[in-house]
Amino acid sequence: MTLCRTTLIGVVAAGVAACGPRVEPIPADYHQQVEAFRDQRASEIIAPAGWAALVGLHWLTPGVHTIGSEVGSDVLLTGPSAPASLGTVTVTETGATLTVAEGVDVRRGEEWVTNVELLPGAPSDDYLVAGGVTLTLIERGERLALRVWDTQAPAMLAFTGLDWMPTDEAWRVQARFEAHTPEPQLKILNVLDEIVDMRNPGVATFTFGEQAYRLEALLETDDAEELFFMFRDATSGTTTYGAGRYLYTALPQDGRVILDFNQAKNPPCAFTDFATCPLPPKGNVLSLAVMAGELDHLHKRR
């Protein structure tokens, strides 16, 4: 099957695409939209529970464990703001309960707590906050872990902003979306060398420079309202993050999806050693150099 050129170069002037779905014009405020997206991303990275603030990922086993920055704590908190003793955490197969040490103020939302149940996958509003420390319980495979952030984390204090390639409308690419029927589960490797199953609803196919490419789409959750693309390209490991980049799009409409590579961003592992990033599947390694999106934040030091 011959694919149409999916960027808007030449299409707007012609008024109609040569084949395939209708091509949408680029919004008049497109550059402002991209800048707003990038500003929002920078704010998220340095939020109290942002990736630059992440200082710990503590795997838990069933039992009762002391937690704090004091030497000898079973769960040793290393963030600058961590209290000597936060309390004890009682772990079961499915969750945990934190009993707060006397004199330590811990809140969940607007509520001050002394004995609180932790369940994996809690929304951010239910994270526990103790001064500059934020924590929650996560589940990876059959394991539970405490994820811990600190507002005084070295990466937070050293953060000077994100680096991006210049916005280029040619990298706002319209792609065909071909649904997989039946929808398979794609086995994805993460940085912990674990295999996780992710829903694979279809593939986006596009052309750039007269060459055809394809990217498998994933869903991060069963109720996801956007497609998730992980990819590596010819810039990976040079000017962009070596493990690849992430791109989110709206769900497909009329058999098409917009791949806006100007919004391609680094995975959390570019900012912290305590993330559990999934890695791009083999089919999502592009020979193309995607000259758009977020640069590796360490690229200037190389």
Side-chain angles (χ1 to χ4, degrees), residues 229-242:
F229 295 90
M230 298 183 289
F231 69 94
R232 294 185 74 248
D233 67 280
T235 70
S236 301
T238 56
T239 58
T240 64
Y241 189 63

Side-chain angles (χ1 to χ4, degrees), residues 46-297:
I46 58 172
W51 294 115
L54 187 60
V55 293
L57 183 66
H58 303 279
W59 299 104
L60 302 174
T61 56
V64 180
H65 311 284
T66 58
I67 177 172
S69 64
E70 187 176 23
V71 175
S73 298
D74 299 325
V75 179
L76 182 62
L77 303 180
T78 59
S81 304
S85 174
L86 183 60
T88 59
V89 58
T90 302
V91 183
T92 68
E93 297 292 341
T94 58
T97 300
L98 176 68
T99 301
V100 179
E102 185 176 351
V104 178
D105 290 331
V106 176
R107 61 180 173 84
R108 181 169 62 183
E110 300 300 321
E111 175 189 10
W112 297 103
V113 297
T114 57
N115 195 73
V116 59
E117 183 180 14
L118 304 175
L119 295 175
S124 59
D125 288 345
D126 286 342
Y127 290 176
L128 299 184
V129 177
V133 175
T134 300
L135 58 86
T136 192
L137 189 69
I138 68 169
E139 185 176 34
R140 293 295 181 267
E142 297 181 352
R143 296 194 293 170
L144 295 174
L146 279 178
R147 174 170 277 171
V148 183
W149 297 265
D150 195 307
T151 56
Q152 297 301 305
M156 281 276 285
L157 300 181
F159 185 83
T160 58
L162 301 174
D163 295 315
W164 300 84
M165 297 189 213
T167 300
D168 184 344
E169 295 178 2
W171 288 105
R172 184 182 185 272
V173 176
Q174 180 167 284
R176 291 179 180 272
F177 186 80
E178 301 171 5
H180 293 319
T181 307
E183 177 186 289
Q185 296 276 334
L186 201 59
K187 294 191 177 299
I188 299 295
L189 179 70
N190 67 21
V191 295
L192 303 177
D193 287 328
E194 296 174 336
I195 300 294
V196 295
D197 289 329
M198 299 187 73
R199 289 176 57 188
N200 177 208
V203 61
T205 61
F206 65 98
T207 62
F208 200 93
E210 308 307 325
Q211 179 67 43
Y213 301 96
R214 54 191 287 126
L215 288 174
E216 294 290 345
L218 299 167
L219 295 177
E220 288 191 294
T221 61
D222 287 340
D223 59 352
E225 297 181 354
E226 56 189 357
L227 296 179
F228 176 41
F229 295 90
M230 298 183 289
F231 69 94
R232 294 185 74 248
D233 67 280
T235 70
S236 301
T238 56
T239 58
T240 64
Y241 189 63
R245 289 180 287 170
Y246 291 175
L247 178 63
Y248 293 85
T249 76
L251 296 176
Q253 294 185 355
D254 301 326
R256 67 178 185 266
V257 64
I258 299 295
L259 300 173
D260 191 345
F261 290 105
N262 290 299
Q263 296 186 8
K265 60 186 182 180
N266 290 331
C269 297
F271 303 95
T272 176
D273 293 331
F274 302 106
T276 61
C277 304
L279 300 171
K282 291 181 179 179
N284 283 10
V285 178
L286 304 174
S287 59
L288 176 68
V290 177
M291 303 298 292
E294 190 174 342
L295 294 162
D296 186 345
H297 73 294

